[in-house]
Amino acid sequence: MTAPILVVDDELAFVESVTSSLRARGHREVVGCTRPREVEALLATRAFAVALLDVRMAELDGLSLLERIRQRSPTTACIMVSGSGSVATVVSAIKLGAYDYLAKPLDPDALFCAIDRALEVTHLRRFVIRRQGARAGLETALATDFITTDPTLMDLLDEAELHAASDIPVLVTGETGVGKE
């Protein structure tokens, strides 16, 4: 799985534990950050599909960071984590646009499930944004260097991108020489 995931917590042990668990599960692009103020610089260099954010951090609280991420990268699904989450904090996080809220210590299965759902939601958000732009007659440039307004090719590329993010085998058929590779 290649969708970039950002893990932000001021506790190094937590960041290392979560990033190694996600990498062991097959997520190749996992970035850990123990300094919340550096997140904006990271967002300037790449788009993250999912951000896992601690609510309570000394340098910058997670809810403020959530707001900044949602402003800069609206398609990034943010999952909040906290060891002492009150109902008011959970409600505030959801109102600010958090996708999910997990309690520490993290249950690995709950974490992996939340990450998988968040990746799917992010993919669907980006798909909708691309489709809306295409319907408005704008050219769409995909990560695969295709630029097109042809609806048939866009459907094909969207379908390919949808399946590329999963581990499900896909059989591509067609005549010899049409570029199935």
Side-chain angles (χ1 to χ4, degrees):
M1 295 174 247
T2 60
I5 299 171
L6 176 64
V7 179
V8 184
D9 194 314
D10 56 356
E11 296 176 23
L12 179 61
F14 178 81
V15 171
E16 288 176 344
S17 172
V18 172
T19 56
S20 66
S21 295
L22 291 171
R23 286 185 184 122
R25 189 146 190 276
H27 296 282
R28 286 177 262 154
E29 291 186 65
V30 182
V31 175
C33 181
T34 57
R35 300 200 42 143
R37 296 206 185 273
E38 294 176 359
V39 170
E40 288 193 55
L42 286 170
L43 291 172
T45 61
R46 68 191 310 174
F48 290 94
V50 176
L52 191 67
L53 311 171
D54 187 21
V55 172
R56 299 204 194 295
M57 295 181 280
E59 191 175 294
L60 178 70
D61 75 278
L63 295 178
S64 298
L65 185 57
L66 168 64
E67 286 183 285
R68 291 179 184 187
I69 291 173
R70 297 291 296 148
Q71 288 172 354
R72 186 164 187 114
S73 180
T75 60
T76 300
C78 296
I79 300 171
M80 306 305 292
V81 295
S82 179
S84 59
S86 67
V87 173
T89 305
V90 174
V91 170
S92 294
I94 299 301
K95 283 183 177 180
L96 290 172
Y99 173 73
D100 205 344
Y101 195 101
L102 301 174
K104 287 182 180 179
L106 293 179
D107 171 32
D109 291 333
L111 172 65
F112 298 145
C113 184
I115 294 282
D116 290 344
R117 285 191 331 251
L119 286 170
E120 187 174 335
V121 165
T122 297
H123 175 74
L124 291 172
R125 284 178 182 162
R126 291 177 179 170
F127 175 80
V128 167
I129 289 169
R130 265 196 327 277
R131 295 299 286 183
Q132 288 172 340
R135 285 201 174 108
L138 301 173
E139 290 185 338
T140 303
L142 300 175
T144 55
D145 296 329
F146 282 96
I147 298 175
T148 183
T149 56
D150 178 10
T152 305
L153 183 56
M154 288 176 57
D155 288 342
L156 175 69
L157 293 172
D158 289 339
E159 190 72 19
E161 186 178 17
L162 175 70
H163 294 294
S166 73
D167 294 331
I168 299 170
V170 176
L171 175 64
V172 179
T173 61
E175 296 177 21
T176 302
V178 296
K180 296 181 292 288
E181 59 282 334

